[in-house]
Amino acid sequence: MARIIDGKKTAQDIKDEVKQAVSELTKNGRSVTLAVVLVGDDPASAVYVRNKKKACEYCGIVNRQINLPADTSEEELLQLIDQLNRDDSVNGILVQLPVPPQIDGQKVIQAISPKKDVDGFSPISVGALSIGLPGFRSCTPAGIIELLHRYDIQTQGAECVIVGRSNIVGKPMGMLMLRENATVTIAHSKTKNLQEVCRRADILITAVGKPKMFTRDYVKEGAAVIDCGMDRDENGRLCGDVDFGDVSPIASCITPVPGGVGPMTVAMLMKNCVEAISLQQD
Ligand code: GUN
């Protein structure tokens, strides 16, 4: 039976480490401030933003929350970002995505200073990650690396198959696993023989958004299985991309949903906010 990778506990450990680091900074007269911008009233985004605020409060990070109406223009949002970029008291800037349709999300991401891009979404951050320069790492993939390290899962020389090629998870995950000396395959909806490809994996990472798609037919015995899905099953219950009940008897370790990868994302955001201080000092 697979070892369960407890993302909730690991995220708590990381938040405790961040809290300690923030408290050291505070003793030296420094504070850490994250500006969170929410445009409109998408209920899912409001929940994410509230979770980020709670995590900031726990860690001692100042949360500057800016709520803008749904009809905010692109120009207005870009002006606000410019203002936050110039404000030395702001260390991290996060614009909750998606933004309303009149605003180009990519333009917004590119407007955030790479030194404050705690989401790690800007082309500069992504490029820096690709060639091993200092910069912010996208929070979900960075959280998965933390889980692999803290659970002593061997990455060097491991066959890692990532399913999903999004800019937020799949692609940066591939770059980070390369840095870990894994042999990386990024599979996606057009990949041929997906089951066969996945069965090669010592580490299988799924990020497709299809409830319980990955049954044991996709998994090699003894593989580590990391599930980034946040899906709903036929009864409306939260589940992952992996059929946990079917796969856990044959995997060596597995992340549950909820309580696996999910809580790590916010914890890594907090960690990035502290890292922003050193990036801004250089
Ligand atoms: N929307 C869904 N996930 C995220 C995230 O990690 N960051 C931002 N900014 N928006 C999101």
Side-chain angles (χ1 to χ4, degrees), residues 39 61 70 140 143 161 202:
V39 189
I61 293 174
T140 301
V161 176
D202 300 310

Side-chain angles (χ1 to χ4, degrees), residues 198-209:
C198 291
R199 273 204 304 263
R200 290 207 301 256
D202 300 310
I203 302 172
L204 176 65
I205 303 176
T206 66
V208 298

Side-chain angles (χ1 to χ4, degrees), residues 37 45 48 52 94-98 119 121 138-140 168 265:
V37 183
S45 290
Y48 288 133
K52 288 166 189 176
L94 182 153
V95 178
Q96 188 64 32
L97 301 174
D119 259 331
F121 292 169
S138 181
C139 300
T140 301
I168 295 181
T265 301

Side-chain angles (χ1 to χ4, degrees), residues 148-149 153-159 177-183 202-203:
L148 296 174
H149 285 170
I153 296 163
Q154 171 85 23
T155 54
Q156 181 149 312
E159 286 281 346
M177 287 306 286
L178 262 185
R179 269 166 69 163
E180 296 291 314
N181 296 317
T183 302
D202 300 310
I203 302 172

Side-chain angles (χ1 to χ4, degrees), residues 10-260:
T10 310
Q12 186 58 48
D13 292 346
I14 290 170
K15 283 188 282 184
D16 284 330
E17 290 159 21
V18 170
K19 185 175 180 169
Q20 182 63 34
V22 173
S23 133
E24 294 294 324
L25 284 164
T26 311
K27 275 187 216 148
N28 296 322
R30 290 228 49 166
S31 61
V32 185
T33 297
L34 170 65
V36 176
V37 183
L38 175 62
V39 189
D41 38 26
D42 175 57
S45 290
V47 173
Y48 288 133
V49 165
R50 202 173 327 127
N51 287 340
K52 288 166 189 176
K53 180 165 183 262
K54 265 176 31 194
C56 281
E57 280 165 2
Y58 183 82
C59 296
I61 293 174
V62 179
N63 181 257
R64 199 180 296 175
Q65 168 96 37
I66 302 154
N67 291 317
L68 298 175
D71 62 356
T72 301
S73 70
E74 185 176 282
E75 183 59 31
E76 284 168 318
L77 182 55
L78 293 177
Q79 265 175 19
L80 171 68
I81 292 170
D82 184 49
Q83 207 178 312
L84 295 170
N85 282 340
R86 293 160 189 268
D87 185 340
D88 287 340
S89 71
V90 172
N91 307 103
I93 303 171
L94 182 153
V95 178
Q96 188 64 32
L97 301 174
V99 283
Q102 74 275 16
I103 300 173
D104 179 347
Q106 197 53 43
K107 258 194 196 165
V108 170
I109 289 170
Q110 291 189 34
I112 297 171
S113 160
K115 294 208 161 184
K116 300 189 177 185
D117 172 36
V118 283
D119 259 331
F121 292 169
S122 97
I124 304 277
S125 305
V126 176
L129 169 68
S130 305
I131 58 173
L133 291 176
F136 293 105
R137 300 173 305 163
S138 181
C139 300
T140 301
I144 291 170
I145 297 293
E146 286 285 341
L147 287 176
L148 296 174
H149 285 170
R150 290 177 192 232
Y151 278 81
D152 285 326
I153 296 163
Q154 171 85 23
T155 54
Q156 181 149 312
E159 286 281 346
C160 174
V161 176
I162 299 156
V163 192
R165 53 178 155 177
S166 71
N167 291 342
I168 295 181
V169 181
K171 285 180 201 157
M173 191 74 244
M175 297 317 297
L176 285 174
M177 287 306 286
L178 262 185
R179 269 166 69 163
E180 296 291 314
N181 296 317
T183 302
V184 177
T185 302
I186 302 184
H188 47 78
S189 55
K190 302 290 188 292
T191 296
K192 285 186 194 145
N193 305 323
L194 183 63
Q195 282 193 8
E196 218 170 277
V197 171
C198 291
R199 273 204 304 263
R200 290 207 301 256
D202 300 310
I203 302 172
L204 176 65
I205 303 176
T206 66
V208 298
K210 297 210 169 125
K212 298 188 183 175
M213 168 177 160
F214 294 87
T215 57
R216 65 171 66 189
D217 298 334
Y218 290 79
V219 180
K220 176 166 82 178
E221 193 151 351
V225 179
I226 308 289
D227 187 351
C228 305
M230 278 284 249
D231 314 319
R232 297 268 166 194
D233 68 11
E234 61 282 4
N235 302 313
R237 270 197 298 263
L238 197 58
C239 70
D241 295 341
V242 174
D243 186 336
F244 185 88
D246 193 46
V247 168
S248 51
I250 67 154
S252 61
C253 48
I254 186 165
T255 58
V257 178

